[in-house]
Amino acid sequence: MQFSLEQIRVLISVADKGSFSAAARQLSKAQSAVSSAIANLEVDLNVTLFDRSRREPQLTQAGRAVVAQGRVLLNQAERIQANALGLSNGEEARLSLAIEETLISSQLEDLFVTLAKKFPFLELELLTPSRADIAKLVDEGRVDIGLSIANFGDTASYSIKPFGAIHMVPVVSRQHRLASIKVDNFDLLLNERQVMHTSRWGAIYPCEQLSQYRWLVESQFALLEMVKRGIGWAWTPKHFIECFDSYSDICEVEFIDNQQATTMPVDLLIRAGYNEGKCAAWLLKELKALPYLL
């Protein structure tokens, strides 16, 4: 049983146009060529596709089934061709990346919507672990690219490139006692419980710890939920509490000199041996243009 995609295209054209002659005009073929294509397809499939007893051919029950399956087949063939064209032009078939949760925003989510439309055949794997775990994932070759706050130095298995910076601010619940006052310096935070971001392997960044009392939380979202419920204060990217309505119950700790924000570098981690394709190149360019990256 041999048949071609061209025969399927002719079949669908006849079914849509309602006659061999109209299909011939649509396909810029002679009517005899259309009739031959349908006759040969019927031989190849060993079924009768059209009832020719009337003035215009009518699809048989078998014909309707083949047309429905043929549409799926042609659609898949078009996707294969489009996918192959993208691959030949340097697009990746798959991209795996890890982005720290503290870099997530509504703008980032919009960016992934655009990515899906621009590269419809890309298989994307997106992980959102803590910053220390991102370095481990890139180091082990689990992901191609990582975006993380405050990594230091290259290693033998991956490289690090500066990617900008973000503002970090201390935040508390609006019901917390520190929400109603302006403080002179960070001394008042020393004796307040600090909720800190940690990795699955227990890693933290000591430079972020001010308080002698701490809770360690793996998820940035869970961390902010604890802050919202008054458990303690935490360092949080300024954009994070500005772009998510669910954190309207959280506010910055205000300082008299308005110098509460600190700047943290954002680094791009690249797996050793990784060759950047068009999808990754486009995505990284757009990521760098996010409004909250300094």
Side-chain angles (χ1 to χ4, degrees):
M1 182 183 296
Q2 297 290 331
F3 64 90
S4 67
L5 290 176
E6 184 59 26
Q7 288 174 307
I8 298 298
R9 289 190 183 93
V10 172
L11 169 65
I12 292 174
S13 180
V14 174
D16 290 344
K17 293 299 181 180
S19 71
F20 287 9
S21 58
R25 288 192 295 271
Q26 181 189 48
L27 299 171
S28 299
K29 294 178 179 290
Q31 183 173 338
S32 59
V34 170
S35 298
S36 295
I38 296 300
N40 290 334
L41 182 59
E42 288 177 321
V43 171
D44 291 336
L45 298 179
N46 194 30
V47 294
T48 300
L49 300 172
F50 289 97
D51 177 359
R52 296 171 175 80
S53 64
R54 303 179 186 181
R55 180 178 178 182
E56 299 295 349
Q58 300 293 315
L59 281 170
T60 63
Q61 184 176 357
R64 288 193 293 271
V66 173
V67 166
Q69 293 166 348
R71 293 188 195 280
V72 175
L73 179 60
L74 284 186
N75 181 64
Q76 186 61 27
E78 290 170 359
R79 290 177 62 86
I80 290 172
Q81 288 179 323
N83 193 8
L85 178 61
L87 293 172
S88 67
N89 288 332
E91 295 178 14
E92 306 93 312
R94 187 177 191 276
L95 176 62
S96 178
L97 66 151
I99 298 180
E100 185 177 335
E101 271 190 340
T102 49
L103 297 175
I104 291 175
S105 67
S106 56
Q107 295 99 324
L108 179 62
E109 293 166 351
D110 291 340
L111 179 55
F112 283 115
V113 172
T114 305
L115 176 72
K117 294 177 180 177
K118 188 174 182 65
F119 302 102
F121 303 108
L122 173 69
E123 178 183 313
L124 177 70
E125 180 184 32
L126 175 62
L127 306 181
T128 55
S130 70
R131 64 195 65 162
D133 289 337
I134 289 178
K136 182 178 178 65
L137 290 168
V138 178
D139 180 47
E140 294 175 347
R142 173 66 178 80
V143 297
D144 303 316
I145 296 171
L147 271 182
S148 173
I149 296 174
N151 277 274
F152 304 98
D154 288 4
T155 74
S157 59
Y158 66 92
S159 60
I160 299 176
K161 296 180 180 180
F163 203 75
I166 60 171
H167 282 315
M168 300 283 286
V169 293
V171 296
V172 293
S173 163
R174 293 190 183 276
Q175 307 306 315
H176 196 283
R177 71 180 192 87
L178 293 181
S180 59
I181 63 173
K182 285 191 175 183
V183 301
D184 294 324
N185 51 52
F186 286 100
D187 288 348
L188 279 179
L189 299 178
L190 299 181
N191 293 316
E192 298 286 341
R193 183 185 295 111
Q194 182 178 357
V195 186
M196 296 188 64
H197 207 185
T198 186
S199 77
R200 182 150 296 188
W201 315 109
I204 63 169
Y205 285 87
C207 62
E208 294 183 352
Q209 182 173 350
L210 294 181
S211 174
Q212 57 184 317
Y213 310 106
R214 69 183 189 184
W215 278 24
L216 305 179
V217 184
E218 180 184 16
S219 166
Q220 179 69 27
F221 293 98
L223 179 150
L224 286 177
E225 287 297 325
M226 291 183 177
V227 171
K228 188 163 70 172
R229 285 162 173 74
I231 290 175
W233 71 273
W235 285 109
T236 299
K238 188 177 179 67
H239 75 270
F240 211 90
I241 58 173
E242 292 176 341
C243 73
F244 292 109
D245 294 338
S246 58
Y247 299 124
S248 59
D249 292 335
I250 293 175
C251 64
E252 296 180 34
V253 176
E254 291 192 55
F255 285 68
I256 293 175
D257 59 6
N258 293 319
Q259 297 298 313
Q260 63 265 35
T262 186
T263 301
M264 293 290 283
V266 175
D267 293 325
L268 175 67
L269 286 66
I270 305 173
R271 172 177 59 80
Y274 172 68
N275 294 316
E276 182 182 283
K278 282 191 174 182
C279 302
W282 180 88
L283 179 59
L284 291 176
K285 179 182 177 181
E286 296 298 317
L287 284 170
K288 201 156 190 176
L290 288 171
Y292 51 87
L293 280 180
L294 309 176

